[in-house]
Structure formats: structure tokens, C-alpha cells
Amino acid sequence: TWRHVKTIEKRWTMASKILPVFWNLASLEDKERIEAVGTLIELIREGQSDEDEELSPDLDYSLKRLVRGLSSSRQAARQGYAVALCELLRSFPVVELRTVFELMLEHLKIPGNAKSHEERNAYFGQVFGLIVLLRSG
């Protein structure tokens, strides 16, 4: 149906806007990371109203990606993703801290066969995640 086509078109447009923002969250430039956080929150807000009790697809995707990114060793990804996750939690009360903690347990666990750098990255991700939970209120 026509409505289905419009929905797919809207999702494609949002994805094309949101995906590049994650790259900028890892920038070594503080200003670029901060701007990316603001952009990400604005883009998610377009699809998530304050009255919604469920997470929009963009909010759900961003939440999972930000948690996974806490263990990234790429440039300043940990810092940018942590700030973005903290702001996301402050901006969207529908996201419960328990949900983020459960995502951390799922995505930041250390596999038994992890190499030392993978283990270190996972531990850093866990620490950054706990700091986010504490700072988000």
C-alpha cells in the first residue's frame, strides 16, 4: 500500500541522517562530538514523542549502538558515545536505566576466549557505562 511505501521511505531518510552521526561521535574534536550528540538527540526526537511508552526504532537502534560503542577503541568513541548515551537517557525518560544495564550485560561481556585488548576494551566499556548510569540521574 501507499502508506507502507511512505513508511519505508521515512525510515530510509531517517537512517541516512542518523548513521553518519555515529561516526562524528568518535571524532577527536570536542566540538564535533558535542554537535553530533545534539544532532542525534534532535533526529531521535523527530520519531519519539514524550507520550510514547515504547521506544521508536531510531531510539532503540541508537541505544543499542551507543552501549556497544562504549567498548570501542576507535579515536574518541568511548567519550562521545558515553556523552550521547547520558544525554539520551536525560532526554527520553521512556528509556529505563535497567534497560541500559541489561544491554551492558549483553553487549559488554567478556568472552572466555577474548584477547587481552578485547578484554581491556570490554572493561573500559563497562566502566564508561556505569559512569553514564550514575551521571544520567
Side-chain angles (χ1 to χ4, degrees):
T1 67
W2 182 248
R3 186 171 30 191
H4 183 67
V5 170
K6 283 293 191 188
T7 302
I8 292 172
E9 184 178 276
K10 182 179 179 186
R11 294 290 315 133
W12 178 257
T13 302
M14 285 303 293
S16 67
K17 290 179 183 177
I18 283 183
L19 292 178
V21 174
F22 287 98
W23 185 260
N24 294 339
L25 287 174
S27 172
L28 292 173
E29 300 293 325
D30 291 342
K31 183 179 179 187
E32 193 172 339
R33 282 197 314 269
I34 298 301
E35 287 175 3
V37 170
T39 301
L40 180 64
I41 298 300
E42 288 174 22
L43 290 171
I44 294 171
R45 194 172 304 282
E46 288 178 21
Q48 181 78 38
S49 74
D50 291 337
E51 293 80 35
D52 289 343
E53 293 183 15
E54 293 185 21
L55 305 184
S56 70
D58 292 322
L59 179 54
D60 184 57
Y61 172 80
S62 297
L63 181 62
K64 290 174 184 171
R65 179 141 181 200
L66 290 172
V67 168
R68 285 192 310 267
L70 294 174
S71 65
S72 174
S73 61
R74 185 171 63 87
Q75 295 184 333
R78 287 187 192 114
Q79 296 91 322
Y81 280 51
V83 171
L85 183 56
C86 193
E87 287 304 311
L88 186 142
L89 290 171
R90 290 177 179 165
S91 300
F92 300 99
V94 68
V95 179
E96 297 177 1
L97 296 181
R98 177 179 45 114
T99 302
V100 176
F101 187 72
E102 289 169 357
L103 287 171
M104 287 172 53
L105 291 174
E106 179 183 347
H107 295 291
L108 302 176
K109 62 184 169 195
I110 299 150
N113 61 348
K115 296 180 175 129
S116 62
H117 71 279
E118 294 171 329
E119 188 174 334
R120 182 185 67 238
N121 289 339
Y123 281 130
F124 271 122
Q126 292 171 2
V127 169
F128 272 77
L130 292 174
I131 291 170
V132 165
L133 293 177
L134 291 172
R135 288 199 172 173
S136 66

